[in-house]
Amino acid sequence: EGVANRLEQGLGSAPATGAAKAAPASTGGDPPIATSFDAFTTDRVAAIEAAVKDIGVKEVEEATAVYLASIKMLRQIMVASGQCKKPKDSDWQKILGPVMELGGKAQKACDNRSDYFQNQKAMAEAMNIVTFCVGTAPGPHVQNVLETMDFHAIKVMQKKNEKETVWIKAVKAMVKDLKDWCVENCKLGLDWNFNGQEAAAYFEANPLGATAAAPTGAPKGKGKGAPPIPKGGFASKPKDEEGTTTTTSANPGAGMAAIFDAIKASSTGGLKKVTADMKTKNRSKDDVPPPVAAKAAPKQSAAPAGKGRGPRGPPSKRLENQQKWVIENFDGESGLVLEEADKVEKHHLVILVNCRHSTLQIKAKVKSIAIDGCERTNVICQDVISSVELVNCERCQVQTTGSVKSFAIDKCNGVNVYLPKESLDAEFVTSKSSEMNVTIPEEGGEEGDIVEMPIPEQFVTRITGPKKLSTEVSDLYC
């Protein structure tokens, strides 16, 4: 009846009596939180649009369009909070389906061969702010998103392109200000309408990203709909061997009666008979059937050794012996977090092994950090008492927001280390590694101004006496 009702409304006819009503549109205007969100985003979105238009690059424009589309979806959720009940935990996956699909497309569009790869990654990470509506701590969630996208935002600013710098600062400022806005307007999460309709039904009629408030026709499925009726109509039903048409009786109640008549008329002559000696009650106690041999479990073929770096088994995050955190085999996971809530203590070691395209944030002071066999993996940490070690890694980045005194890099390619003012006295021990860079704040510059310097990998050695050598950094680094 609900489908018929919506069809009648789409054709302009009156709804059928007693039919289920479609999801009602807002009758009292947008809820206050949506109005407040409009006031917050208007100027900031305008600044981002003006900056990206000034850049005039297709890749950046498309990435920005995806981010702004996610902002619109976030507003749709705020509008829904005034009209429906809070969604059940099992409903969120379907509700946020369009957001996840949009995020997947944004990640796939990131081409590391492009000059604007970092711009695309920054936008793909920034759109994760939409999911703050699921939890009860929007502010910390937005802060996590800000820290994750900051990796790529710094790389954009390193280009020293004025237009791109203005653009990324506008995006970063919006995400940063959104945290304060969440604290003022929804510190513990969105407030939903306790007397509203069910969220699943509302979002089914008003999916995220849809231009209309409610569908005007039949619900769309994944297919293209039923095919049209043939011009000549459908073919007549086949006839059995005696020439009668195989159809049901005109009398609706005759169907089951005909089935029972057919059962009674059927012959049981072909069935095997159970004799008296086959019955269990007539068998002797000694007549015990032999045990059924257990089937041998199929041998599990050993997993082939993974080529290169990356996951080599199921993902795992665990604390061993109350002193060592082991995080291994994660792929494409940008939300890995170790914090005080996980009972991380300053005497703990953190070991990140065989991860790819992942980001780990360590929000507590730890003894040391080891990164082994990882590819395109980011680590954000605070204070580290001993050292940060990277071994056999490819295209990895480490950013510290606190004090780290020592870094050890061995058999790595493409390592970038970002240091704050608190870690400018750090030392680097490197071996068998290439394409290493360290980024520090520019002395006397504005906030966000940084300087990237290569770590030498070419040296000049001279014989200066019997059993004595002298080694200096190559002139390439002077």
Side-chain angles (χ1 to χ4, degrees), residues 99-413:
V99 179
M100 300 298 104
E101 182 180 358
L102 189 65
K105 291 180 179 179
Q107 292 289 353
K108 290 181 181 179
C110 298
D111 184 3
N112 57 7
R113 298 168 296 180
S114 171
D115 293 335
Y116 302 97
F117 170 71
Q118 300 297 341
N119 306 61
Q120 294 172 320
K121 286 292 291 184
M123 292 295 93
E125 296 293 346
M127 67 170 294
N128 289 325
I129 58 176
V130 179
T131 54
F132 84 67
C133 58
V134 179
T136 57
H141 175 84
V142 176
Q143 178 64 26
N144 290 341
V145 174
L146 177 63
E147 293 176 359
T148 303
M149 71 164 288
D150 201 34
F151 255 119
H152 310 288
I154 289 175
K155 299 296 287 185
V156 173
M157 290 188 286
Q158 283 179 349
K159 297 181 183 180
K160 299 295 184 181
N161 184 303
E162 183 179 355
K163 294 180 179 179
E164 292 185 42
T165 300
V166 172
W167 167 77
I168 194 63
K169 284 187 176 181
V171 177
K172 187 176 176 180
M174 180 176 179
V175 178
K176 185 177 181 181
D177 294 344
L178 181 61
K179 175 187 174 183
D180 298 331
W181 182 89
C182 289
V183 172
E184 295 178 3
N185 295 272
C186 52
K187 186 175 182 179
L188 300 178
L190 296 179
D191 292 329
W192 298 81
N193 187 347
F194 182 78
N195 296 320
Q197 67 179 114
E198 293 296 332
Y202 176 89
F203 283 102
E204 184 176 358
N206 305 276
L208 296 181
T211 54
T216 56
K220 294 183 178 180
K222 292 184 178 179
K224 298 182 179 179
I229 299 176
K231 294 182 178 179
F234 293 106
S236 58
K237 295 186 177 182
K239 297 182 178 181
D240 57 17
E241 296 179 356
E242 298 179 358
T244 59
T245 302
T246 57
T247 182
T248 57
S249 172
N251 182 8
M256 292 304 298
I259 292 175
F260 285 115
D261 290 342
I263 293 174
K264 292 178 181 178
S266 62
S267 173
T268 59
L271 298 179
K272 293 182 179 180
K273 302 295 183 180
V274 179
T275 59
D277 61 314
M278 294 182 181
K279 298 179 181 180
T280 303
K281 66 178 182 178
N282 297 330
R283 296 174 63 176
S284 63
K285 295 182 179 180
D286 297 334
D287 187 7
V288 180
V292 179
K295 293 184 179 179
K299 295 182 179 180
Q300 296 182 353
S301 58
K307 296 182 179 180
R309 303 165 183 84
R312 299 187 180 183
S316 174
K317 173 184 172 185
R318 62 188 184 275
L319 176 62
E320 296 183 351
N321 301 325
Q322 297 300 317
Q323 64 178 2
K324 180 172 64 176
W325 282 96
V326 179
I327 302 169
E328 59 182 346
N329 300 323
F330 283 93
D331 192 355
E333 181 59 61
S334 60
L336 294 172
V337 178
L338 277 179
E339 52 189 349
E340 294 181 355
D342 297 319
K343 297 184 179 180
V344 178
E345 300 180 8
K346 63 181 180 180
H347 67 275
H348 285 171
L349 314 178
V350 179
I351 302 177
L352 189 65
V353 186
N354 298 333
C355 293
R356 183 192 295 120
H357 294 286
S358 300
T359 298
L360 169 65
Q361 298 182 57
I362 305 174
K363 299 183 177 182
K365 185 176 183 179
V366 295
K367 182 177 181 180
S368 66
I369 300 173
I371 308 169
D372 186 4
C374 295
E375 180 181 357
R376 298 188 182 278
T377 297
N378 307 320
V379 175
I380 306 172
C381 62
Q382 296 180 356
D383 296 335
V384 179
I385 299 174
S386 179
S387 66
V388 176
E389 300 179 7
L390 295 98
V391 182
N392 194 30
C393 292
E394 184 82 18
R395 306 295 172 191
C396 291
Q397 302 183 81
V398 177
Q399 179 181 0
T400 174
T401 59
S403 175
V404 179
K405 301 301 181 183
S406 177
F407 289 86
I409 305 174
D410 183 31
K411 301 176 185 176
C412 297
N413 296 315

Side-chain angles (χ1 to χ4, degrees), residues 413-426:
N413 296 315
V415 174
N416 291 324
V417 180
Y418 300 87
L419 301 179
K421 294 180 180 180
E422 294 82 357
S423 298
L424 294 182
D425 58 344

